[in-house]
Amino acid sequence: MLRGLAHGAAWTLATSTAVALSWFGVHTVLTGTVDDPPRALPLSTAPSPPPRTSSTSRPRPPAPGTSAAVPSGGGPSGTASAGTGPQQPPGTARPVPNAAGATGDVHSYPVSGGRVVLDLGPAAASFVSATPDTGWSTRVWKQPGWIRVDFTSGLHTSSVFCTWNGHSPTVQTYGT
């Protein structure tokens, strides 16, 4: 009887030690990961003019003797700009200051399940937002040197990885 109690106590001690070590190991790895809610970019309060062109037709060339200048109130996507610089075509990056005050290029990465927006600087990147599609959920990991965003729905997962450990930021997408 005493021998059975000694074996049971040894087993309980060994199992408790293994569980505690596992918990501390997982806790240490996950300490820096945060699932922040997505941040929204500020929208202009000025009303947007209707689009001047459609995606299936080109604008007419200007008549001879007239100027082909871009109007100052409307950008190519129909949003108003407050004189923040030259207009750029849709899908290109636009320099904006990030939380640290540095200026980088904001890029959007569409994948199955949603869209990720990152601010890519010359030596680092910052997470701007992740917008999941209907029925998908988002998980974000941020560490010094990398950012990972996953969109999951059931057994399907799409990911966006951004790394900059000793090099300029590079982005890889999986599940597009």
Side-chain angles (χ1 to χ4, degrees):
M1 175 76 172
L2 189 57
R3 187 175 191 154
L5 288 174
H7 283 277
W11 178 84
T12 302
L13 180 64
T15 303
S16 299
T17 303
V19 168
L21 287 174
S22 296
W23 185 85
F24 283 119
V26 170
H27 177 67
T28 302
V29 170
L30 295 179
T31 297
T33 61
V34 178
D35 192 9
D36 290 335
R39 295 184 310 177
L41 296 175
L43 298 176
S44 173
T45 58
S48 298
R52 297 177 192 248
T53 62
S54 73
S55 62
T56 58
S57 67
R58 293 187 179 170
R60 293 188 178 119
T66 60
S67 172
V70 175
S72 63
S77 63
T79 59
S81 64
T84 57
Q87 299 296 323
Q88 297 178 344
T92 60
R94 179 176 177 170
V96 297
N98 62 16
T103 300
D105 290 329
V106 176
H107 293 275
S108 176
Y109 299 94
V111 293
S112 297
R115 177 178 301 272
V116 176
V117 179
L118 300 171
D119 184 4
L120 305 178
S126 62
F127 174 77
V128 176
S129 69
T131 307
D133 291 339
T134 304
W136 291 75
S137 62
T138 305
R139 179 105 174 132
V140 178
W141 293 270
K142 296 185 282 187
Q143 291 289 319
W146 60 271
I147 298 170
R148 175 181 175 174
V149 180
D150 283 352
F151 295 100
T152 56
S153 176
L155 298 175
H156 303 286
T157 301
S158 298
S159 301
V160 176
F161 293 97
C162 180
T163 59
W164 62 90
N165 188 10
H167 54 81
S168 60
T170 58
V171 178
Q172 297 171 325
T173 60
Y174 298 95
T176 56

